C-alpha cells in the first residue's frame, strides 16, 4: 500500500489512526465520569440505608440487606 497525502499534512492512514485514538480517549473520559457518578450515588445510597437500618438485626443481616439494596434486582444487574 502506497501512502499518499490526504488534504494537508500526513497521510490518510495517520489521520484515521489519530482520529481513532482521539475517540478512544473521549470514550475513556465519558466512562470514568459515569463510574465516578455511580460510585457517588452508591455512597449516598449506602449512607441513607445505614441511617434507616434495623439495628435489632445482626451485623451480617444488615450488611446482606444493604448489599441487596445497592445491587438491585437480579433482572436489572446485567443491564447496568
Amino acid at each position: 500500500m502506497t501512502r499518499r497525502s490526504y488534504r494537508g499534512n500526513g497521510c490518510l492512514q495517520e489521520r484515521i489512526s489519530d482520529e481513532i485514538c482521539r475517540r478512544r480517549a473521549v470514550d475513556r473520559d465519558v466512562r470514568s465520569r459515569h463510574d465516578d457518578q455511580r460510585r457517588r450515588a452508591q455512597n449516598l445510597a449506602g449512607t441513607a440505608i445505614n441511617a434507616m437500618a434495623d439495628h435489632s438485626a445482626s451485623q451480617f443481616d444488615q450488611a446482606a440487606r444493604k448489599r441487596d439494596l445497592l445491587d438491585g434486582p437480579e433482572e436489572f444487574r446485567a443491564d447496568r
Side-chain angles (χ1 to χ4, degrees):
M1 173 186 227
T2 60
R3 292 185 177 198
R4 59 188 172 96
S5 60
Y6 179 76
R7 287 192 223 163
N9 298 335
C11 67
L12 175 61
Q13 189 175 9
E14 289 173 356
R15 291 177 60 99
I16 291 173
S17 176
D18 291 344
E19 182 64 19
I20 289 170
C21 290
R22 187 187 68 77
R23 288 184 185 209
R24 282 184 182 161
V26 168
D27 187 43
R28 274 193 301 270
D29 292 342
V30 169
R31 283 188 200 164
S32 67
R33 272 186 296 201
H34 289 293
D35 289 343
D36 292 342
Q37 289 174 347
R38 184 182 54 79
R39 276 191 226 106
R40 184 170 182 263
Q42 278 188 328
N43 287 337
L44 290 172
T47 303
I49 291 169
N50 287 338
M52 299 182 331
D54 180 14
H55 297 293
S56 63
S58 68
Q59 291 289 330
F60 179 77
D61 287 339
Q62 288 180 15
R65 291 173 186 171
K66 180 178 178 180
R67 190 172 41 253
D68 289 342
L69 287 171
L70 289 176
D71 289 343
E74 290 182 29
E75 297 84 15
F76 299 116
R77 288 182 196 164
D79 294 335
R80 290 187 213 160

